[in-house]
Amino acid sequence: MTPTVSGQDVPREALLRSMKRLRRLEEAIAERYPEGRMRCPVHLSIGQEAVSAAVGLALHPEDLAVSGHRAHTHYLAKGGSMPRLVAEIYGKQSGCSRGKGGSMHLVDEAAGFKGSTAIVGGTIPVGTGLGLSLATRGSPQVACVFFGDAAVEEGVFFESVNFAAIRRLPVLYLCENNFYSVYSPLRVRQPEGRRIHEMVAGLGLSAAYGDGNDPELVYQMTGDALASIRSGAGPVFLEFTTYRYREHCGPNFDNDLGYRTEAEFLERRSADPVETYEMRLLESGVVTRESLATMDAAIAAEVADAFAFAEASPFPDRSEAFSDLYVGEDGA
């Protein structure tokens, strides 16, 4: 598949707003995490916002999505509730998973967000199963599966993609390649010269690659992929390169650990997707300094309100501890 970037019909201001919204929320999580009131580990996507924002806008509201442990931005961009997300991280009853899932286990049926899990690649077969359900019912919806580059090293990825290709299921496999699996770079995990999307294309489905720092490119490629899937052409795999700024798990920077160099980090940081796109829209006249100030103020207020909502919400009652469990009548 050849990327097509016409520059037309791209919701530029909405893209920027979504990216800034995702960035501001996760920076607030990082700032407040040391307070000790968030009840779970957090895996932040600061630096990776362009992919989430663009894919979220390209998907239809009725489409379905699943994700992995780094799911905050996927959930929000898909239409999830910011207050309910923050409340979930605080372990509160008003959270999207009623305070039982935490950061890594987000579920929101109203947003079409069917779940995220902490196991690498764990929701790939779930998303594929969603695609099978949609195909069986003749639905025009698409199932989108978000995952990182390490997930394509799991056996379940190949089983799922092979099945989806054979059955021509309406599934978008969305790989965010940030070059690291926790602290292990690609070069120690995969043979030199391998390109993930080329390997996946060999499995019999359409696959393409793009710069995940370019939200317009991501939006166009995702839109093309979704149109192809809705036409009945079968699943599509998209790989976008991106980069996380913070540690694998937690709110801090971790360049001191030595698994990546400060020079590499600074080089990637200099191409920040949010700042670069903001300048691009300023120079093209899509936004002004005044409209940006209004946008930033609205986002700051939304984030503050979300934290206030979470802080004010009650914890789940003890009687809720054993509700919503998936067990048989025999208790197994």
Side-chain angles (χ1 to χ4, degrees):
M1 176 182 295
T2 301
T4 57
V5 185
S6 65
Q8 299 177 357
D9 301 319
V10 175
R12 293 176 170 173
E13 189 167 348
L15 275 175
L16 178 62
R17 182 184 183 283
S18 181
M19 292 168 66
K20 291 168 76 73
R21 182 172 178 258
L22 303 179
R23 173 70 60 88
R24 185 68 196 96
L25 173 67
E26 290 216 310
E27 286 183 337
I29 292 172
E31 290 165 7
R32 292 172 180 244
Y33 197 80
E35 296 172 354
R37 294 202 290 273
M38 298 182 202
R39 304 294 172 136
C40 59
V42 291
H43 298 74
L44 303 178
S45 299
I46 297 174
Q48 303 188 186
E49 296 89 349
V51 177
S52 295
V55 175
L57 284 171
L59 288 169
H60 293 178
E62 61 271 22
D63 289 332
L64 307 178
V66 292
S67 178
H69 54 273
R70 206 177 303 282
H72 300 167
T73 57
H74 302 150
Y75 168 68
L76 278 182
K78 180 62 182 66
S81 161
M82 185 184 293
R84 295 187 69 201
L85 168 60
V86 178
E88 186 59 40
I89 297 172
Y90 273 71
K92 297 299 185 70
Q93 171 75 33
S94 56
C96 61
S97 300
R98 302 173 65 182
K100 297 180 178 180
S103 166
M104 293 184 282
H105 303 90
L106 308 177
V107 181
D108 192 337
E109 294 280 352
F113 200 82
K114 304 294 281 188
S116 60
T117 68
I119 305 301
V120 174
T123 50
I124 293 176
V126 175
T128 304
L130 291 173
L132 176 61
S133 173
L134 296 175
T136 301
R137 292 187 282 114
S139 170
Q141 297 164 277
V142 171
C144 176
V145 190
F146 290 98
F147 51 89
D149 46 287
V152 303
E153 296 157 12
E154 299 289 333
V156 74
F157 170 78
F158 295 90
E159 297 172 13
S160 299
V161 168
N162 183 67
F163 181 78
I166 290 174
R167 299 292 294 265
R168 301 170 74 86
L169 299 183
V171 183
L172 173 61
Y173 294 99
L174 203 298
C175 176
E176 291 175 292
N177 180 358
N178 68 10
F179 307 106
Y180 289 95
S181 173
V182 188
Y183 307 124
S184 300
L186 271 170
R187 67 177 180 276
V188 303
R189 295 160 29 219
Q190 298 194 25
E192 183 178 357
R194 172 179 288 170
R195 292 167 65 84
I196 292 175
H197 65 284
E198 292 178 351
M199 175 188 70
V200 175
L203 299 175
L205 72 166
S206 178
Y209 158 89
D211 178 2
N213 273 4
D214 185 338
E216 293 188 17
L217 175 66
V218 177
Y219 181 82
Q220 291 280 3
M221 289 180 63
T222 304
D224 290 346
L226 291 170
S228 173
I229 294 169
R230 292 189 211 281
S231 76
V236 174
F237 176 94
L238 295 180
E239 174 192 0
F240 294 112
T241 50
T242 184
Y243 200 76
R244 64 171 162 82
Y245 296 167
R246 305 295 177 115
E247 58 192 329
H248 164 68
C249 178
N252 303 309
F253 294 96
D254 65 352
N255 297 339
D256 59 307
L257 296 181
Y259 72 95
R260 60 183 181 185
T261 66
E262 184 73 7
E264 176 189 295
F265 173 82
L266 292 175
E267 179 182 357
R268 296 285 184 178
R269 183 67 182 78
S270 68
D272 180 75
V274 179
E275 296 170 3
T276 300
Y277 195 54
E278 179 178 280
M279 185 57 62
R280 183 172 162 186
L281 296 196
L282 269 172
E283 292 175 348
S284 61
V286 174
V287 296
T288 64
R289 295 287 181 190
E290 292 73 22
S291 67
L292 283 176
T294 301
M295 180 187 294
D296 289 340
I299 292 171
E302 182 187 14
V303 171
D305 288 347
F307 277 91
F309 173 81
E311 295 272 11
S313 295
F315 287 107
D317 189 84
R318 287 178 180 272
S319 63
E320 289 282 312
F322 297 103
S323 64
D324 303 321
L325 298 180
Y326 186 71
V327 295
E329 293 182 356
D330 59 356

